[in-house]
Structure formats: C-alpha cells, structure tokens
Amino acid sequence: MTTVKFLKENQEIVVADGANLRFKALENRIDLYTFRGKMMNCGGYGQCGTCVVEITEGLDNLSPRTGVEEKKLRKWPANCRLACQTAVQGPVTVVTKPNRSKQGQAASTTSV
C-alpha cells in the first residue's frame, strides 16, 4: 500500500501498489477533468489526453510513460502524465488539471 496526495484537493488516499491513478482518483471523488474533459473523455483508454496530471513529488514511483503518453504529452513537461496510463508504485504528490503556460510548461498554481 502507498499514498497519493492531491494538492489542490488537500486530500491523501491510500492505494495498492500498481493501482491505476485515474481509477483511484475517480473512485475517491477527485475531479481530474476540466469542463471539456468531462464532456469528451475516452473513459480511461488513453485516446483523448484529457486526464493530464502534474507530478510534483515521486515521479520515480510511477510506471514509465507509455507510447500513448509520449504522443499525447509531447508538448507537456516530463513530470506530466495521463492518469489513465499511470500505475502508482510508491508515494506521489499530484496536481490535477495543470495549466500549460505559453512556453509549454505546466503551472501548478491557478490564476484568479
């Protein structure tokens, strides 16, 4: 068992090693999707790219990026993942719905 901390939601959940990040987030009522993602998500098959999360701690505790992620996230920083393609293998800290700045970098803060 390991922990996943969601910064924006100020919530920490316990998951089994190897658990799918998207499934466990949704199971614990963590909202991964922007409005567009809620309307158009693929249900966890890695086709839409709308469940992007930013990993602020514990990136090495996740499964390696899949080929699907490499394609969908080519303009995102290396610490961003598709939750549906990510298996948790140790403690991690996650920012849901990260913003991309004009430079193609994820920003963990929200603008007012």
Side-chain angles (χ1 to χ4, degrees), residues 60-79:
D60 293 339
N61 294 330
L62 301 174
S63 58
R65 266 191 180 190
T66 64
V68 169
E69 285 181 282
E70 291 298 338
K71 186 175 182 179
K72 294 285 182 187
L73 300 176
R74 66 182 178 272
K75 294 182 181 180
W76 289 84
N79 69 325

Side-chain angles (χ1 to χ4, degrees), residues 24-36:
K24 288 300 178 181
L26 295 178
E27 183 177 75
N28 285 277
R29 298 178 185 245
I30 303 292
D31 187 13
L32 295 176
Y33 298 105
T34 61
F35 179 74
R36 179 179 167 264

Side-chain angles (χ1 to χ4, degrees), residues 1-5 17 57-59 61-62 88-93:
M1 300 298 269
T2 192
T3 59
V4 179
K5 182 176 183 180
D17 289 340
E57 293 180 31
L59 189 61
N61 294 330
L62 301 174
V88 179
Q89 300 166 338
V92 294
T93 303

